[in-house]
Amino acid sequence: MTDSTQKVVIIDTGCANVSSVRFAIERLGYQVTVSRDPEIVLAADKLFLPGVGTASEAMKNLAERDLITLVSQVDKPLLGICLGMQLLGDYSEEQGQNGTERVPCLKLCPAPVQKMRTGELPLPHMGWNTITPEQGHPLFNGIPAGSYFYFVHSYAMPAFNTGQGRTIASCEYGQPFTAAVQSGNYYGVQFHPERSGKAGAQLIQNFLDM
């Protein structure tokens, strides 16, 4: 049953997909606040960190909005979406306009974000693809293996498992990569659940139920 009294907050990263994430959550019967106010963010029961664009631009946005320390202070479940998931990693190879430097990210999840090596397949990896979730993980309750989700990205975390974090769903495009990740109370999905139909809505519901 939906606990619509939860405080659900989308962290206001200034990214373009904030409103589509908000509508997807509201369709499930929740009220949503979009905020970067520390009091509101730290009082939330569930948080979403959306992101589109490049890692360098997004990290610059987070720095300008005083969000880098704030996100690392969150102790409730937080779900990074697409670039929002990548920002949880150690660093990204997606350096925007200025050459070859790695972009330091939030370092909340012990994995790099690297340009996908896809052989003959075109980048970005764009469209519907199937995922293989970790069996029994609550984020994937009621979502069968082989469910399709919508992806748009050229960079990804490799599949990994360390004491501090792990891949909880993988996907294949040229080679395997992390489709979903967990590191403590931080979760991330590389796909767009807000654009992934019934399976995406189920995943958002599962996160809110956790």
Side-chain angles (χ1 to χ4, degrees):
M1 186 170 129
T2 295
D3 174 10
S4 56
T5 61
Q6 284 196 87
K7 290 184 190 145
V8 181
V9 172
I10 299 173
I11 297 174
D12 185 5
T13 54
C15 284
N17 64 334
V18 166
S19 53
S20 55
V21 173
R22 191 180 89 215
F23 296 143
I25 301 164
E26 287 175 343
R27 278 198 295 272
L28 296 170
Y30 293 82
Q31 288 192 309
V32 184
T33 306
V34 179
S35 181
R36 59 186 201 219
D37 179 317
E39 278 184 38
I40 291 171
V41 167
L42 295 176
D45 298 308
K46 299 281 161 57
L47 298 109
F48 290 81
L49 181 71
V52 290
T54 64
S56 53
E57 202 51 42
M59 287 304 296
K60 191 163 146 267
N61 270 355
L62 292 187
E64 283 168 0
R65 289 165 179 250
D66 291 330
L67 287 171
I68 290 177
T69 305
L70 182 60
V71 172
S72 68
Q73 290 170 333
V74 166
D75 60 1
K76 299 287 177 18
L78 177 149
L79 181 67
I81 294 176
C82 194
L83 179 63
M85 165 179 146
Q86 296 182 5
L87 297 179
L88 298 175
D90 280 337
Y91 66 84
S92 174
E93 292 179 357
E94 187 178 17
Q95 70 281 8
Q97 303 311 307
N98 56 354
T100 54
E101 299 193 3
R102 293 172 169 180
V103 178
C105 292
L106 295 169
K107 303 187 188 305
L108 298 167
C109 176
V113 175
Q114 299 164 329
K115 188 155 191 181
M116 296 173 78
R117 288 158 185 79
T118 58
E120 301 294 298
L121 296 171
L123 282 176
H125 170 217
M126 185 168 178
W128 296 87
N129 204 340
T130 57
I131 68 165
T132 306
E134 180 183 292
Q135 233 176 343
H137 195 286
L139 197 57
F140 297 100
N141 280 346
I143 299 173
S147 293
Y148 280 87
F149 288 87
Y150 188 79
F151 290 85
V152 187
H153 62 119
S154 300
Y155 292 77
M157 285 184 188
F160 75 102
N161 188 346
T162 70
Q164 283 80 49
R166 69 187 190 281
T167 297
I168 56 172
S170 59
C171 182
E172 185 92 28
Y173 187 72
Q175 56 187 36
F177 66 89
T178 294
V181 69
Q182 179 181 359
S183 182
N185 59 305
Y186 295 95
Y187 299 80
V189 289
Q190 180 59 66
F191 47 82
H192 284 276
E194 77 283 9
R195 294 168 69 179
S196 295
K198 199 188 266 188
Q202 181 68 56
L203 183 134
I204 293 171
Q205 183 68 64
N206 290 345
F207 177 70
L208 293 166
D209 287 344
M210 271 166 35

